[in-house]
Amino acid sequence: MTIVAAVQMVSTPVVEENIASARRLVAEAAATGARLVLLPEYWPIMGRSDSDKVGKAEQLGSGIIQQTMAELAREHGIWLLGGTLPLVSDDPAKVINTTLVYDPEGKPAGRYDKIHLFGFTKGDESYNESRTIVPGKHVGTVDTAVGKVGMAICYDLRFPELFRAMGPVNLIVVPAAFTYTTGKAHWEVLLRARAIENQCYVLAAAQGGMHVNGRRTWGHSMLIDPWGDVKAVLAEGEGVVHGALDTAYLDSVRESLPALRHRTM
């Protein structure tokens, strides 16, 4: 068995404040014995406006956000999947919303750029990520201490074909900043569905609370096993959820109900 952990945050518009919170919470996660730790989407900045993150975007391989993640991975000897950070894109008005992976030596080990961009309008609540984000193009997986890990980000959760394209994985990670409205309705059921249909563990790290910009995120960071059972959950506020990834149990689920082998499409 291997311990994995997800960090839940309530990020602010101030990068330095969020870095301080991440340092404290990753240390808390590592103290549980976790060998893999996941940060939430937008952990370094939840701006007052969607365009604020454009001004904080980093070039790949440099910047305080990436430096912090590398240091945390090395300091705690963990695989750190860095939620998302804004990377510079070819469009000066937009960023790439990216998960970067660091190995226990603090070296870059993987990357996934968010493919599906959130759009939602209901009453006075409206979001359109395509105004400030360039979509990714490639499925993201990475080999880690817990085996092959598939990477998705927030709105990706609604597109099951993305997860099928990962191939068999031991773990799917989902950093997110689900709104309170959509999270209350769909977050847990979608996460459990992805675990059940792919017969793997799912670890989700969320933003969870009322932010300075007035946005409320759903939270409920959780670990789900391959049978679809929720093993750990944190409703709102800062904190850490953790639990064991048991490959013997994963194998037993796939053996007793060989749905992945029964696929015809």
Side-chain angles (χ1 to χ4, degrees):
M1 293 189 184
T2 306
I3 303 299
V4 297
V7 167
Q8 185 162 291
M9 295 178 62
V10 187
S11 294
T12 77
V14 182
V15 172
E16 293 76 14
E17 290 178 358
N18 299 323
I19 285 176
S21 295
R23 287 188 181 279
R24 171 171 44 80
L25 292 165
V26 170
E28 182 180 334
T32 69
R35 295 186 63 190
L36 181 148
V37 177
L38 176 67
L39 288 167
E41 185 180 27
Y42 298 135
W43 76 264
I45 179 169
M46 287 281 283
R48 294 184 182 276
S49 69
D50 286 345
S51 60
D52 286 358
K53 60 181 173 289
V54 178
K56 300 297 183 180
E58 296 185 346
Q59 293 283 351
L60 182 63
S62 65
I64 186 63
I65 299 169
Q66 292 168 81
Q67 178 183 331
T68 297
M69 290 190 290
E71 288 175 354
L72 287 171
R74 184 170 56 251
E75 176 184 350
H76 297 290
I78 56 173
W79 285 86
L80 182 69
L81 285 80
T84 71
L85 80 157
L87 289 181
V88 171
S89 77
D90 292 335
D91 185 335
K94 297 182 180 183
V95 302
I96 307 168
N97 194 22
T98 299
T99 297
L100 294 179
V101 182
Y102 295 87
D103 71 14
E105 295 180 353
K107 296 178 180 178
R111 171 180 176 174
Y112 169 67
D113 301 335
K114 186 177 185 179
I115 292 174
H116 300 98
L117 303 183
F118 181 52
F120 176 72
T121 301
K122 185 177 182 180
D124 295 333
E125 192 175 9
S126 181
Y127 305 94
N128 185 352
E129 288 187 326
S130 64
R131 292 174 181 162
T132 55
I133 296 175
V134 176
K137 299 178 180 178
H138 304 289
V139 175
T141 63
V142 61
D143 291 321
T144 74
V146 302
K148 185 179 178 182
V149 176
M151 295 180 283
I153 298 169
C154 201
Y155 193 50
D156 283 332
L157 189 56
R158 296 182 183 272
F159 302 88
E161 63 274 16
L162 172 65
F163 299 85
R164 286 301 200 206
M166 295 173 181
V169 295
N170 286 1
L171 174 69
I172 289 169
V173 295
V174 187
F178 254 61
T179 70
Y180 186 89
T181 303
T182 59
K184 183 178 181 180
H186 300 146
W187 171 246
E188 182 178 324
V189 69
L190 286 171
L191 288 169
R192 294 181 68 195
R194 298 298 85 85
I196 293 165
E197 68 196 8
N198 294 289
Q199 298 186 309
C200 67
Y201 286 87
V202 171
L203 181 67
Q207 295 282 346
M210 184 63 71
H211 299 266
V212 174
N213 61 11
R215 178 176 175 179
R216 187 180 181 186
T217 46
W218 176 240
H220 291 78
S221 297
M222 61 181 69
L223 176 67
I224 302 167
D225 74 15
W227 194 247
D229 291 330
V230 177
K231 309 305 290 185
V233 63
L234 173 64
E236 283 192 295
E238 287 188 346
V240 172
V241 295
H242 70 281
L245 193 159
D246 184 347
T247 55
Y249 177 68
L250 183 150
D251 291 341
S252 73
V253 169
R254 292 180 178 179
E255 185 61 33
S256 62
L257 180 60
L260 296 179
R261 295 204 304 269
H262 290 163
R263 289 180 61 202
T264 60
M265 298 179 64

